[in-house]
Amino acid sequence: MVCQNCGKNLSEGETICDVCGTVAVEQPNNSHNMGELISFSSKISDSAFNSYKNKSIKWAFLFSGILAVIALVGFPVYGNVSGEIDWPNSLFYGMGIGGMFLVIALLQTLKKSFDKTWDGIVVNKDSYTVKERDNGHTSKHTIYKLKIQKDSGGYKKHKWRDIPGVYSYYNIGDKVRHHKGFSFYEKYDKSKDTKIMCAACLSFVDADKDTCPRCKCPLLK
Ligand SMILES: [Zn+2]
Ligand SMILES: [Zn+2]
């Protein structure tokens, strides 16, 4: 097989091009039909996913831009009204905090752009209750943990507190694929699922649908 994006020769069983990271699509002459719900979908290359990514980057910058402006205006105003921070120090605080919001948005975007597609297996799931004491009263919390072993070595761990998130969607032994720039995993075998998780917005959508009604991205199946 040859990489459709950069033309590199891929060896037998190699599903992700190690040069450009493109997911290799099996040629249709590979006649054994395992059913569309048992395979990794090639629909991830649909342009809807790219526009979803670009839109979420724009929103992240707009959001942190608004926070930056609030900090820039808020600190001097607060300093003036309360008399606690002198001018121009209040302006420098505002610039510092405001700049921090923009730097965080920039770092998150950079992190996404360096992300790579990889395959792995769910090796462990765990949920348990913890008791926490603060100010004399005890509260109970449930912790959910998910552990994925990467085919290339190493682990990826996820943890939720009280809200299980996408924890219950995965089972131990599931073969999964992480798609570059997205937070969760496509399951290789979706044949037993009545709902499929949208790779972009993480909504659960009826498995007979083709598109996510919330974000309009195609369902990976
Ligand atoms: Zn390639
Ligand atoms: Zn969606």
Side-chain angles (χ1 to χ4, degrees), residues 45-135:
S45 41
D46 192 290
S47 62
F49 284 109
N50 258 332
S51 39
Y52 183 88
K53 272 190 217 173
N54 293 337
K55 238 185 263 168
S56 51
I57 289 172
K58 270 184 212 151
W59 277 112
F61 275 101
L62 184 69
F63 184 65
S64 48
I66 291 170
L67 288 177
V69 169
I70 290 173
L72 199 60
V73 176
F75 271 93
V77 169
Y78 172 78
N80 196 9
V81 171
S82 70
E84 277 177 39
I85 319 168
D86 292 332
W87 179 269
N89 281 352
S90 55
L91 177 68
F92 298 147
Y93 285 141
M95 283 163 75
I97 302 287
M100 215 173 65
F101 286 123
L102 293 176
V103 168
I104 289 170
L106 190 68
L107 288 178
Q108 281 171 340
T109 306
L110 278 176
K111 195 179 151 211
K112 272 188 185 168
S113 67
F114 284 116
D115 194 18
K116 282 207 157 81
T117 295
W118 52 266
D119 289 354
I121 289 196
V122 178
V123 287
N124 201 21
K125 268 183 87 167
D126 197 15
S127 74
Y128 53 86
T129 321
V130 288
K131 275 185 190 166
E132 279 168 22
R133 285 185 69 85
D134 63 310
N135 291 332

